Amino acid sequence: MIDIAVIGYGFRGKVLSTHLLQMNKNIRISAIVDSRIEEIKGELGNDADNIRFYDTVDELLDREKPDGIIVGTRCSSHAQIAIKVLEKRIPFILEKPVSTRMNDLLALKSAYERSGTEVAVPFSLRLNTLGQAAKEIAESGKLGTIEHVQAINNVSYGSVYFQHWYRDERETGGLFLQKATHDFDMIQYILQLKPTWVSAVKSKQIFKGNKPAGLRCADCEERETCPESAILHRKRGEPVHGEMCCFAADTGNEDSGSAIIQYESGMHASYSQNFFARNKAATRMFRFLGYKGTMEFDYYTNRIQVFMHHTNRIETYEIPVGNDTHGGGDIAVCQSLLDTITKGLPSQTPLEEAMQSALLCLKANKSAETRTFQEIKWTE
């Protein structure tokens, strides 16, 4: 049997462990660390009888020797837990962002270099079917050498970052780390270039206000009229992304941000993200421009178009959607962990690349906060 331990059996820990169980009949969840042990036992029913539960990560790592681990805790703890797992040299999936603070990221880098353990990070943009197809087209030479990138991420479900626990900036590290870490990784995956400088700005124009701290939609006098009301969305049968008031005094996170990144070749990329766009305004679009052609693709349409610059030809690719909520990316990262465990293969989303993305996000944050250009280097 292949024993998998789960550290943090929340939404993501549950999703990834379920995929693993479905992929291989010889996999079993042998141990879980979580603060909600009794609640989880109730969810799992009879399946909980064969799982050992622990209150702390240290306790699990001292008593268990799993073949692999899933780390799906809240963001601020990712790096510190990863360091402990790296010391045990057990391959694992580490949720993004891999760190929310520079000192933790530097410590994680040091631990990873000492350990040499394979770590898979769920960067779904590069792992899913659309990302893989875009990579193939870029490498074909059809575009020429890519010399400019434009990317936009208008998040239709952005209220989750203001109405759920994600509203706490101490947990998220800000929305460059929550969202742009995927997009920055995708750009680097295509370019295969190191970023050298970043300049960024971020704004909080919509999700702010003077409603009482801790106010829930259910307790608000505007619960039947507010466009963000969880009560109103539930009545309409629409998705509900949280129960907290996003116009309260304690609502954290910026609601838009932009960055310009220069790479080692001298080329640059522009990126912008927004969290109050809704419905058909949603897009996660990339444009990679070479001298020969431009490749454009959008994760909301799963379509790639290639515009040739010196002929009138336009090529369109309709990419089948993968079999999970991240376009196949979650299944792919689980397969990567399984391949490491059973075949000794390297991760498809190596930790060194995830750390590079986190570093870029942290530097973008610092740039926005200090109004300075930031060099992308491994220092505070």
Side-chain angles (χ1 to χ4, degrees), residues 50-66:
N50 299 315
I51 299 173
R52 293 172 291 280
F53 291 86
Y54 297 95
D55 294 315
T56 68
V57 175
D58 291 337
E59 191 178 10
L60 181 144
L61 292 176
D62 286 342
R63 297 187 184 182
E64 300 283 338
K65 293 184 179 179

Side-chain angles (χ1 to χ4, degrees), residues 160-174:
V160 71
Y161 295 104
F162 309 96
Q163 293 182 283
H164 203 252
W165 66 261
Y166 291 103
R167 68 198 264 120
D168 187 348
E169 288 177 306
R170 295 169 299 181
E171 289 290 348
T172 65

Side-chain angles (χ1 to χ4, degrees), residues 208-229:
K208 58 184 179 178
N210 55 8
K211 295 282 188 182
L215 180 65
R216 300 175 66 83
C217 290
D219 302 320
C220 179
E221 61 185 10
E222 297 179 48
R223 60 184 173 273
E224 300 290 346
T225 57
C226 175
E228 304 298 333
S229 169

Side-chain angles (χ1 to χ4, degrees), residues 128-201:
N128 71 19
T129 52
L130 186 68
Q132 290 294 302
K135 175 74 166 175
E136 182 181 334
I137 292 169
E139 290 185 340
S140 72
K142 187 183 296 288
L143 310 177
T145 303
I146 295 169
E147 300 293 1
H148 187 54
V149 180
Q150 301 160 341
I152 299 173
N153 186 8
N154 291 339
V155 184
S156 63
Y157 53 90
S159 59
V160 71
Y161 295 104
F162 309 96
Q163 293 182 283
H164 203 252
W165 66 261
Y166 291 103
R167 68 198 264 120
D168 187 348
E169 288 177 306
R170 295 169 299 181
E171 289 290 348
T172 65
L175 297 187
F176 281 126
L177 281 161
Q178 288 300 311
K179 271 298 171 199
T181 187
H182 279 291
D183 304 273
F184 291 168
D185 175 74
M186 187 62 199
I187 293 170
Q188 289 174 223
Y189 181 55
I190 297 289
L191 293 181
Q192 293 295 297
L193 294 172
K194 290 183 179 180
T196 53
W197 290 89
V198 63
S199 175
V201 293

Side-chain angles (χ1 to χ4, degrees), residues 206-213 215 222 245-251:
I206 301 296
F207 294 123
K208 58 184 179 178
N210 55 8
K211 295 282 188 182
L215 180 65
E222 297 179 48
C245 174
C246 55
F247 301 108
D250 61 338
T251 304

Side-chain angles (χ1 to χ4, degrees), residues 36-49:
R36 306 171 299 111
I37 290 177
E38 293 308 315
E39 181 182 337
I40 292 169
K41 285 181 177 179
E43 292 176 8
L44 294 172
N46 293 336
D47 291 338
D49 295 341

Side-chain angles (χ1 to χ4, degrees), residues 175-176 184 198-204 254-260 271-273 275 363-372:
L175 297 187
F176 281 126
F184 291 168
V198 63
S199 175
V201 293
K202 54 185 180 180
S203 305
K204 188 173 178 66
E254 71 274 17
D255 51 36
S256 63
S258 300
I260 297 176
Y271 171 79
S272 189
Q273 61 182 14
F275 297 89
K363 293 294 186 178
N365 264 339
K366 189 170 182 179
S367 172
E369 290 162 2
T370 61
R371 298 186 179 185
T372 59

